[in-house]
Amino acid sequence: AFDVDLKWSKKRVLDITPEMCRDMHRRLHKRGPVAANGVMQAFSIGWNYARRLDRNLPESPTSGLEWYPEKKTLNAPIRDLVAWRDEVNKISNPLHRTAYTLALFTGLRRSEIENLEWSRIEQDAIYFPTTKSGREFWLPITDEHHKILDQVRGLDERWVFPSRSVTGHIVCWDHDHVPGTLHSLRHTFATVGVEAGI
C-alpha cells in the first residue's frame, strides 16, 4: 500500500512526520477513502504497538489526521459514543441498558449476551463452551466488566439477563432510537481495540 511513495520504505519510523502522513493520506485517497483510511490506520496500529514497547516514542504522527468519510454500512462501528451513551441511558429497561453496555465493552455477539449464564463467569474470564466458530473460548474480563455485571447480579440464579420470555432470558432488546445495531457494538469494540494498537 505504501508504494505511492517508496521513499517511506527507506525512512526511519521517527523520521515520518504528521505532514508526511497528511500528504500520504491525500494521495492514497485517489484509490478511495477506505484505502486511504485503512493504510494510515494500519500505520497507526504499528506505531501504537511499538509505543507500548517503548514509552519514549512520541504520539503517532497520524493522530491529527481527519479521516475521510466512508460509505455507511448497517453494522458500521459507532463513532459518536457520547451520543450512543445518551440514547442508551434513555432505555427504560435497566436490563437492556446493561446488556448494551456489556456488548460494547466485550464485543460479544447478541446470542452470547442473551444466553449468558452466571456459572460461566469467573473473576478474570467468561467461558463459552462453543462459539459460532465451534470452538470454546475464554474472554478475559476486568473489574470494569464486573462493575457492569454487578448491575444485574442477584436477579436470577441462572441467567445474567433474565426475562419472563419462554427462554427465561432476554430475546428482544433492540431499541430503534439507539444509533447503530447490536452487531455494530461488536464492530465498535474491534475498531476501538485496533485504533488503540491492540
Side-chain angles (χ1 to χ4, degrees), residues 19-198:
E19 294 75 26
M20 292 169 64
C21 288
R22 282 193 293 276
D23 181 59
M24 175 69 79
H25 195 224
R26 273 193 302 273
R27 287 192 280 155
L28 285 168
H29 189 260
K30 293 175 187 169
R31 298 180 184 184
V34 174
N37 290 346
V39 168
M40 300 316 293
Q41 286 169 346
F43 177 80
S44 181
I45 291 165
W47 186 287
N48 289 336
Y49 176 76
R51 193 174 185 213
R52 282 206 318 273
L53 300 177
D54 181 357
R55 284 293 173 188
N56 293 321
L57 278 177
E59 187 175 31
S60 170
T62 61
S63 61
L65 282 181
E66 293 193 20
W67 304 105
Y68 293 114
E70 299 176 16
K71 183 179 176 185
K72 300 278 187 219
T73 62
L74 180 64
N75 296 316
I78 297 161
R79 291 294 180 180
D80 189 346
L81 288 172
V82 173
W84 178 85
R85 169 55 68 197
D86 289 344
E87 293 302 320
V88 168
N89 285 338
K90 293 176 185 174
I91 298 172
S92 59
N93 186 323
L95 280 175
H96 293 188
R97 286 196 307 267
T98 305
Y100 266 94
T101 305
L102 188 66
L104 175 67
F105 278 76
T106 60
L108 289 174
R109 292 181 176 91
R110 173 194 194 104
S111 60
E112 293 165 342
I113 296 273
E114 292 173 353
N115 293 291
L116 192 55
E117 298 183 37
W118 288 113
S119 62
R120 306 215 186 282
I121 299 174
E122 299 188 7
Q123 184 59 38
D124 60 352
I126 300 174
Y127 174 64
F128 295 92
T130 308
T131 61
K132 188 178 177 183
S133 62
R135 297 187 307 256
E136 68 176 354
F137 179 66
W138 290 91
L139 174 74
I141 58 174
T142 67
D143 289 343
E144 291 303 313
H145 296 100
H146 282 288
K147 287 177 190 173
I148 295 167
L149 291 166
D150 284 346
Q151 298 172 50
V152 292
R153 204 174 299 277
L155 296 179
D156 189 83
E157 287 185 18
R158 180 179 180 188
W159 303 109
V160 174
F161 298 104
S163 171
R164 293 187 186 133
S165 67
V166 175
T167 63
H169 57 71
I170 61 172
V171 287
C172 295
W173 48 292
D174 302 80
H175 293 267
D176 292 338
H177 63 89
V178 176
T181 64
L182 291 173
H183 200 72
S184 295
L185 301 177
R186 187 168 171 79
H187 288 269
T188 306
F189 177 82
T191 300
V192 170
V194 164
E195 289 173 351
I198 300 171

